Amino acid sequence: YQARQKSLNRVVALKMVREAHLATAGDRARFQAEAEAAARLQHPNIVTVHEVGGHDGQAYLCMEYVPGRTLGQVLADGPLPARAAARLVAAVARGVD
């Protein structure tokens, strides 16, 4: 979700466990592990994690908001031209590396 972090007056992205009331302990543990792993990463091609927390039993991950379309939205228009696909894969590979 796109949200506003009131304490710093900035736009952020929020990721939350879906159906939090149905989440198992394993679901919550995986979410926490993902948050901790993402928070250790620093790279221009990876969003920055600002905060991990919970509110009323709902775990959340507060991250840098990156405007634009999702990969799914881009690919809904059809396959990318070879050069554009190669640039995208190279950017992802640099982040993963």
Side-chain angles (χ1 to χ4, degrees), residues 80-90:
L80 292 174
R83 275 193 202 280
R87 280 192 301 272
L88 180 63
V89 169

Side-chain angles (χ1 to χ4, degrees), residues 20 22-32:
L22 300 176
T24 65
D27 294 334
R28 289 188 292 277
R30 277 190 302 281
F31 187 83
Q32 183 66 32

Side-chain angles (χ1 to χ4, degrees), residues 51-60:
E51 180 182 2
V52 177
H55 180 72
D56 290 337
Q58 174 67 65
Y60 66 85

Side-chain angles (χ1 to χ4, degrees), residues 39-57:
R40 287 192 297 271
L41 302 175
Q42 290 184 326
H43 190 276
N45 295 4
I46 300 174
V47 298
T48 301
V49 173
H50 299 309
E51 180 182 2
V52 177
H55 180 72
D56 290 337

Side-chain angles (χ1 to χ4, degrees), residues 4-87:
R4 175 161 303 282
Q5 186 178 16
K6 290 181 180 181
S7 62
L8 295 173
N9 192 31
R10 65 178 167 189
V11 175
V12 295
L14 282 182
K15 181 175 185 177
M16 300 184 294
V17 175
R18 291 186 81 166
E19 307 292 339
H21 63 285
L22 300 176
T24 65
D27 294 334
R28 289 188 292 277
R30 277 190 302 281
F31 187 83
Q32 183 66 32
E34 175 188 342
E36 290 173 9
R40 287 192 297 271
L41 302 175
Q42 290 184 326
H43 190 276
N45 295 4
I46 300 174
V47 298
T48 301
V49 173
H50 299 309
E51 180 182 2
V52 177
H55 180 72
D56 290 337
Q58 174 67 65
Y60 66 85
L61 178 60
C62 177
M63 304 172 284
E64 168 188 10
Y65 174 73
V66 180
R69 299 189 309 160
T70 67
L71 179 59
Q73 291 167 333
V74 169
L75 296 177
D77 296 338
L80 292 174
R83 275 193 202 280
R87 280 192 301 272

